[in-house]
Amino acid sequence: MVTRILDRLIWWIERLLAYAFIAAVGLNFINVIGRYGFGQTILSADELQIYIMVFMTFLGAAVVAWRNHHLRMDVVVNALPLPLRRLVRMAELAVIVILTAFVLWNSAYYAEQMFTIGRVSDMARVPMWIPHGAVAVGFGLIALIGCLRFVQALTGRPLGVGKFGTET
Amino acid sequence: MSFALGVLPVVLLLLGFPIFIVLLASVSVALVFFMHMPLAALHQNMFGSINAFALLAIPFFVYAGELMGRGSVAQRLVDFVQAGVGSVRGSLAVTTVGTSAIFGAISGVSAACVATIGRIMYPAMRRAGYPEHFAAGLVTAVGAIDIIIPPSIPMIVYGAAAEESVPRLYAAGVVPGLMLSLMLAGYVMWFARRNSIGAGEAFKFDHFLRATARGVWALGMPFIILGGIYGGIFSPTEAAAVACVYAAFVTRFIFRELGWRDIVEAASVTVLFSAQILIIVACAGVFSWLLTVNQVPAAIVAWLQSLNISAWTFLLTVNVILLAVGCFLDPLSAILLLTPLLVPLVKAFGIDTVHFGIVVTVNLAIGLFHPPFGMNIFVAQSVLGLELRAIYRGIIPFLVIYLIALVLITYIPAISLGGMRFLLGVN
């Protein structure tokens, strides 16, 4: 059940990020055309593109975690015997949960501070708790994924495959 | 502190933990247990590392390459180069080198080059009588040129990590990339002559014109990117965005090969690839800040100075380290992990950081196909269905050529800096 919900959520995040990214490309292109064609630019465009990249980075990292595609150097660990490899995997999941929960707490506090003081960006007037909150949400999702996988590994249940063909 | 910044990351890296977690573990342990600093520094530095307009060039260039890599762009480039090469001995192998160099000026993602060009050229070379190991080695090794010829994603990442100008790095990468292409072309021509492998069709001007007309839209991309940057029209990030729109326009409306769904699909692939890299950039930013705050680079500089080693020896040592690291780690992660440590040393030895950026890129390009774990080896294996043994055997002569080029690029800075000065019009 949790796997299915997460799978659908991740699918939607991936789609939204893809459209947001296309919008960032469009904004940049419009600014280039505006500068040379009409002598005008959208002043807030650079900020908006950066915030889209912030979302791509941290929410995208959750999507990558769900797909098990994070970059790693697995040459040594792959040479270990299977029981030892499982042990390392369990340790890795535990470390992931602890660390990402720590960043979630840290970033959520920071975003809350931004919200409390009502800070907005210089040009686009974007409330700053939104891009800062993306860090918390991204790491929160990774923590959730880590928890799910840790429980699955602990109970020895076979890893499921989500509706969208995702390895979980 | 040395446990948090030295022992812990190495142990976690060897245990196969995700690289961003390795960095995050290191900085979290240092901040919580060894330093008396507000924990908000973690979030601030992580956010601050990504809050940089120049980094947008990474997803933009990946997207442009992703769009151009779908459909018939590679085949059009192959036809164009082949028509130009004519009856040269080993024309198919030379075409593979030439097409990869041009593809490198469009894409900047090495694995894409191996997969796209390899799919077309490997069967063609086999049909023409090239030995399996030679064809396999060539398509695997030649893709590494992709990250040396601009636009290069590793150079953007190095530029961000070393606080060096990306246009200067791009300009410095042109001559080494072309030099490597010529060296590879020279070797494959010699190999074909020695093994009496057939020449291509004689050069026909009308055929060349037709192939040029078919390929002109694909060939326009490098002109837009490099012409735009060095003509002072765009920044690298803007050039990348214009390249995306150009690629979408050409593949959607000129070639009529991609639908809107494909364009969104390519964006989705780009987002995932970029997230893999950018999350490491974010965590490496905090790691780099911690190294600086704890004066680690300064301590290493002082230690090296006490050893009285020359710049020559330093570069040799760095090359050996980078080659070893490149065998196990992807280029972008390696750059993010090592640049904060190496750049202060490079400056202390009076080495130009642009020149060093090219040395780093060439080293890590070699790591992409260096046995036993180079990423391109596995791309070639999976896409072309080749045996690892054939690839390993075939790679060796190309590896030697790359190593010769690396020595030349390392010890003759004019190869990279001369091209940069020429392109930028500076002394």
Side-chain angles (χ1 to χ4, degrees):
Chain A
M1 181 66 180
V2 182
T3 304
R4 255 190 234 159
I5 294 169
L6 258 177
D7 197 42
R8 182 161 280 271
L9 178 67
I10 293 288
W11 187 86
W12 276 108
I13 290 172
E14 193 180 338
R15 286 282 122 170
L16 285 174
L17 289 176
Y19 286 115
F21 173 66
I22 292 172
V25 173
L27 268 175
N28 198 307
F29 185 71
I30 288 167
N31 247 8
V32 172
I33 297 295
R35 189 169 69 227
Y36 286 103
F38 308 98
Q40 280 186 333
T41 53
I42 306 167
L43 290 174
S44 55
D46 289 3
E47 266 181 9
L48 291 174
Q49 289 170 66
I50 290 171
Y51 296 150
I52 288 171
M53 184 168 61
V54 168
F55 273 87
M56 275 170 62
T57 303
F58 296 104
L59 292 186
V63 180
V64 177
W66 186 245
R67 303 253 184 278
N68 249 332
H69 282 174
H70 273 297
L71 295 174
R72 61 177 82 221
M73 191 190 84
D74 51 9
V75 178
V76 180
V77 78
N78 282 347
L80 296 175
L82 192 61
L84 209 56
R85 227 185 303 165
R86 280 203 179 127
L87 204 68
V88 172
R89 175 74 175 147
M90 292 288 287
E92 177 193 316
L93 288 169
V95 170
I96 286 175
V97 172
I98 294 165
L99 283 175
T100 50
F102 172 63
V103 180
L104 162 67
W105 167 75
N106 199 304
S107 299
Y109 177 74
Y110 200 93
E112 190 203 341
Q113 297 281 306
M114 291 284 148
F115 181 78
T116 309
I117 60 174
R119 171 107 189 263
V120 293
S121 68
D122 297 334
M123 292 294 177
R125 315 301 293 166
V126 172
M128 287 308 289
W129 65 267
I130 297 175
H132 283 280
V135 184
V137 174
F139 277 97
L141 278 170
I142 299 173
L144 194 61
I145 292 164
C147 276
L148 186 70
R149 295 217 169 117
F150 187 79
V151 171
Q152 282 177 334
L154 209 60
T155 53
R157 278 163 50 193
L159 299 179
V161 175
K163 189 182 170 187
F164 299 101
T166 314
E167 273 183 59
T168 56
Chain B
M1 183 57 81
S2 56
F3 168 77
L5 296 180
V7 179
L8 186 65
V10 172
V11 170
L12 296 185
L13 200 65
L14 289 175
L15 285 176
F17 282 34
I19 291 161
F20 83 100
I21 289 292
V22 171
L23 294 164
L24 206 56
S26 181
V27 296
S28 302
V29 169
L31 274 173
V32 173
F33 297 108
F34 298 101
M35 294 173 76
H36 303 288
M37 280 193 162
L39 292 178
L42 175 66
H43 174 91
Q44 278 173 339
N45 278 288
M46 209 153 51
F47 189 87
S49 304
I50 293 298
N51 193 4
F53 188 70
L55 283 177
L56 271 165
I58 296 175
F60 285 175
F61 274 129
V62 172
Y63 189 43
E66 184 67 34
L67 287 169
M68 287 300 248
R70 293 170 181 229
S72 66
V73 169
Q75 185 64 58
R76 286 166 195 263
L77 291 176
V78 166
D79 293 344
F80 164 74
V81 177
Q82 203 169 358
V85 166
S87 60
V88 165
R89 190 60 91 168
S91 63
L92 279 176
V94 175
T95 301
T96 307
V97 175
T99 311
S100 299
I102 299 175
F103 199 81
I106 291 174
S107 161
V109 180
S110 183
C113 180
V114 174
T116 317
I117 307 295
R119 262 196 208 109
I120 300 168
M121 295 312 296
Y122 178 77
M125 281 194 282
R126 291 292 290 132
R127 279 196 300 274
Y130 287 84
E132 183 190 23
H133 66 87
F134 173 84
L138 176 60
V139 297
T140 309
V142 82
I145 294 179
D146 227 43
I147 66 165
I148 302 167
I149 291 181
S152 157
I153 308 295
M155 284 184 201
I156 301 173
V157 174
Y158 173 84
E163 295 178 358
E164 186 49 83
S165 143
V166 175
R168 279 160 60 90
L169 287 163
Y170 275 7
V174 173
V175 175
L178 293 178
M179 184 186 84
L180 246 169
S181 306
L182 287 175
M183 287 170 74
L184 290 170
Y187 168 72
V188 297
M189 283 164 68
W190 172 81
F191 181 88
R193 183 170 293 277
R194 204 186 68 162
N195 292 280
S196 305
I197 295 170
E201 288 177 20
F203 179 83
K204 289 176 191 153
F205 191 67
D206 59 331
H207 178 52
F208 178 69
L209 277 184
R210 272 201 306 276
T212 309
R214 263 175 56 78
V216 74
W217 285 100
L219 292 166
M221 182 86 118
F223 285 100
I224 288 179
I225 296 169
L226 297 182
I229 294 172
Y230 298 113
I233 303 168
F234 318 128
S235 67
T237 307
E238 289 173 338
V242 172
C244 290
V245 174
Y246 178 83
F249 177 77
V250 167
T251 49
R252 175 76 184 89
F253 296 108
I254 308 287
F255 297 165
R256 295 173 188 277
E257 289 167 345
L258 298 193
W260 295 114
R261 184 179 287 214
D262 299 308
I263 288 171
V264 175
E265 189 56 41
S268 191
V269 171
T270 303
V271 165
L272 289 195
F273 179 85
S274 306
Q276 279 181 322
I277 305 306
L278 291 172
I279 191 69
I280 301 176
V281 172
C283 297
V286 199
F287 188 72
S288 171
W289 169 78
L290 267 182
L291 289 178
T292 312
V293 166
N294 288 288
Q295 300 185 323
V296 176
I300 299 176
V301 169
W303 176 67
L304 276 176
Q305 279 169 343
S306 72
L307 293 177
N308 266 334
I309 64 167
S310 63
W312 193 92
T313 321
F314 168 73
L315 281 171
L316 182 69
T317 314
V318 168
N319 273 339
V320 172
I321 293 170
L322 287 172
L323 280 173
V325 168
C327 292
F328 302 100
L329 215 55
D330 77 287
L332 303 179
S333 309
I335 289 171
L336 288 165
L337 285 173
L338 296 175
T339 304
L341 276 174
L342 290 177
V343 165
L345 310 183
V346 166
K347 286 178 180 165
F349 278 106
I351 298 163
D352 192 295
T353 47
V354 171
H355 170 223
F356 186 69
I358 303 303
V359 172
V360 170
T361 308
V362 176
N363 262 300
L364 298 174
I366 294 171
L368 282 173
F369 68 93
H370 194 301
F373 302 116
M375 190 174 67
N376 287 357
I377 295 173
F378 301 107
V379 173
Q381 188 197 21
S382 88
V383 171
L384 306 173
L386 297 169
E387 277 189 32
L388 273 181
R389 200 175 44 181
I391 301 176
Y392 285 158
R393 187 181 158 204
I395 274 172
I396 293 165
F398 298 105
L399 184 62
V400 172
I401 292 168
Y402 269 84
L403 289 173
I404 293 170
L406 174 64
V407 171
L408 294 174
I409 291 163
T410 303
Y411 292 111
I412 310 175
I415 293 173
S416 41
L417 299 181
M420 180 194 79
R421 288 182 188 124
F422 174 75
L423 272 172
L424 296 178
V426 292
N427 287 320

